[in-house]
Amino acid sequence: TVNFGGDVVIIPEYLFWGCTGLTEITIPENVQQIGGAAFIDCSAISKITMNAIKCIRMSSDNNRPAFVGAPITTVVFGELATTIPDLAFNGCKTLASVVIPENITQIGGAAFGNCPNLTTVTFNARNCTVAHSVVGDNVTPAFNNPAITRVEFGPLVNNIPDYIFWGCKGLTDVVLGDNVETIGAAAFYGCTSLTSIVIPDSVTEIRGGAFCNC
């Protein structure tokens, strides 16, 4: 068991490396940074509860994710959480589904990349404006994951962010909620298995390349 004090802002790199007795972790509200490999090879961690309101980093300088090697099956986001950083759950190879709650406004690049069993995403974020990262001329989507087959947008979602599911080559089933107004640029670019989609009456704008190379 690990309990973090309410004033903790940084969880350092490698801090709990190899703690094979840990089964779940709760990240408190004030945490802004989790170092790379902070929970590396914690081979029993199955659940992460992210209560951090605005965590801006969950990796090392060499892009090593915080939870690499942990067999996470469940990720729960607290009601005050707003940000999912770059590489946040990258490499969580046992994660099969994820629910993005209403309060999330930003998701970093490759946050759910390299998750080979992640097949289902339920996206309830009402006003998420960013779901990618940009380095130079390179754009990295939040869900650059060919394993994803189904994406469902909740009834309160207004905006589908630019680039969010770019390159999800296994995506076959997309369900848009009845309040979606904007489908972002290149949101489904290169989703080569996507053969049909129903656009609801609420949509007023489909930005450039939203369904290019499908």
Side-chain angles (χ1 to χ4, degrees), residues 50 54 59 65 71 87 90 111 140 152 154 171 176 187 192 199 204 207:
M50 281 290 297
K54 191 172 183 179
S59 61
L87 300 169
N90 192 287
T140 303
E152 183 172 350
L171 185 61
L176 301 181
T192 54
I199 308 295
T204 59
R207 295 177 181 161

Side-chain angles (χ1 to χ4, degrees), residues 23-24 33 53 65 117 135:
T23 57
E24 65 178 82
Q33 181 174 327
I53 295 172
N117 288 301
V135 178

Side-chain angles (χ1 to χ4, degrees), residues 32-63:
Q32 297 177 19
Q33 181 174 327
I34 304 175
F39 298 92
I40 185 173
D41 293 336
C42 293
S43 57
I45 291 181
S46 61
K47 181 179 180 180
I48 302 295
T49 301
M50 281 290 297
N51 290 330
I53 295 172
K54 191 172 183 179
C55 186
I56 58 175
R57 187 168 187 177
M58 290 175 63
S59 61
S60 61
D61 290 340
N62 63 352
N63 294 328

